């Protein structure tokens, strides 16, 4: 009947931990809204110090506070020792307390130190020179350093600017004035002298030499010169 009313107000159930209304389907009305939010927030798992395969039973403690200052673990190392300009000497550059001059035990490395130049070549009892045992007195070469001892500054820039065209200093030489030929070019002085003749025989001149050059080029002329110097052709 139209005048029907409920007997009592409906009981209200307390909110549950999870939503009680199922997720809407595709055919749900547009004005559908979920029920109250879950009462328990999901746990947040912070990373563990080492990898693990087991899921923690409860959230771990909050992460440590990050500071802006470096910790002792990552503190910078102390500054390196200052480099010096003095050479580093060999630690073995010392005088031996056992060495002395052959035949005179009173003359040891202290005696060598008084006059190193002449005494470093003095021999000891074992024929060892003083320079090998009295190293501090006779001098030791410094150990090689890891840094270069000489710094070379770059040379100044060139004073002549480069140009696209060659300068007169590097200009090409002129073209040859004489055309090349297949025939060899003879010496213009390679001619026979009309005045030369064999000594004491004016009838034997350069034409006579030309008949048999090999034996006759060494014949002397009236002036004492050989035929090969006057009969050049």
């Amino acid at each position: 009947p139209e005048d029907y009313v409920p007997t009592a107000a409906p009981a209200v159930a307390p909110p549950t931990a999870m939503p009680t209304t199922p997720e809407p389907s595709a055919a749900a009305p547009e004005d559908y809204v979920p029920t109250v939010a879950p009462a328990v927030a999901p746990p947040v798992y912070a990373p563990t110090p080492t990898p693990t395969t087991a899921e923690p039973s409860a959230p771990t403690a909050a992460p440590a506070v990050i500071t802006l200052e470096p910790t002792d673990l990552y503190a910078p190392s102390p500054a390196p020792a200052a480099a010096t300009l003095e050479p580093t000497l060999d630690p073995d550059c010392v005088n031996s307390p056992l060495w002395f001059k052959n035949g005179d035990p009173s003359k040891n490395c202290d005696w060598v130190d008084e006059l190193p130049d002449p005494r470093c070549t003095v021999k000891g009892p074992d024929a060892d020179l003083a320079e090998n045992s009295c190293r501090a007195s006779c001098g030791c070469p410094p150990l090689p350093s890891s840094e270069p001892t000489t710094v070379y500054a770059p040379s100044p820039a060139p004073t002549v600017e480069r140009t696209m065209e060659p300068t007169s200093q590097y200009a090409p030489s002129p073209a040859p004035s004489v055309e090349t030929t297949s025939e060899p070019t003879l010496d213009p002085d390679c001619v026979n002298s009309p005045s030369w003749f064999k000594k004491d025989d004016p009838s034997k001149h350069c034409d006579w030499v030309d008949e048999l050059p090999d034996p006759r080029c060494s014949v002397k002329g009236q002036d004492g010169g050989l035929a090969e110097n006057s009969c050049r052709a």
Side-chain angles (χ1 to χ4, degrees):
E2 295 180 359
D3 56 353
Y4 172 81
V5 292
T7 57
V12 179
T16 60
M18 300 299 292
T20 58
T21 305
E23 187 174 347
S25 63
E30 295 181 358
D31 59 350
Y32 172 83
V33 293
T35 59
V36 294
V40 179
V44 178
Y45 299 104
T48 57
T50 58
T52 177
T53 57
E55 182 177 307
S57 58
T60 58
V65 178
I66 301 175
T67 61
L68 298 178
E69 298 297 327
T71 61
D72 294 338
L73 180 62
Y74 300 103
S77 58
T84 60
L85 298 177
E86 297 296 329
T88 303
L89 297 179
D90 187 348
D92 295 330
C93 186
V94 294
N95 289 336
S96 171
L98 303 178
W99 187 91
F100 57 88
K101 181 181 178 182
N102 188 23
D104 192 347
S106 63
K107 295 179 179 179
N108 51 17
C109 287
D110 293 338
W111 171 78
V112 174
D113 190 64
E114 296 172 359
L115 291 172
D117 288 340
R119 296 177 180 176
C120 282
T121 57
V122 174
K123 291 183 179 181
D126 53 358
D128 184 30
L129 296 179
E131 62 183 4
N132 297 327
S133 296
C134 305
R135 299 189 65 192
S137 298
C138 295
C140 302
L143 294 176
S145 62
S146 58
E147 298 295 330
T149 55
T150 304
V151 178
Y152 297 98
S155 58
T159 55
V160 180
E161 295 183 357
R162 294 183 296 176
T163 60
M164 298 298 296
E165 299 297 328
T167 60
S168 59
Q169 183 180 359
Y170 302 103
S173 59
S177 58
V178 180
E179 296 183 358
T180 57
T181 60
S182 58
E183 298 295 329
T185 303
L186 299 178
D187 185 352
D189 295 331
C190 186
V191 293
N192 289 335
S193 171
S195 61
W196 186 92
F197 59 88
K198 182 182 178 181
K199 186 177 181 179
D200 300 329
D201 192 348
S203 63
K204 296 180 178 179
H205 41 76
C206 285
D207 291 340
W208 171 78
V209 174
D210 189 60
E211 296 174 358
L212 291 172
D214 288 341
R216 294 178 181 177
C217 282
S218 59
V219 174
K220 289 185 177 182
Q222 188 67 24
D223 57 356
L226 297 179
E228 62 183 4
N229 297 328
S230 297
C231 304
R232 299 187 66 188

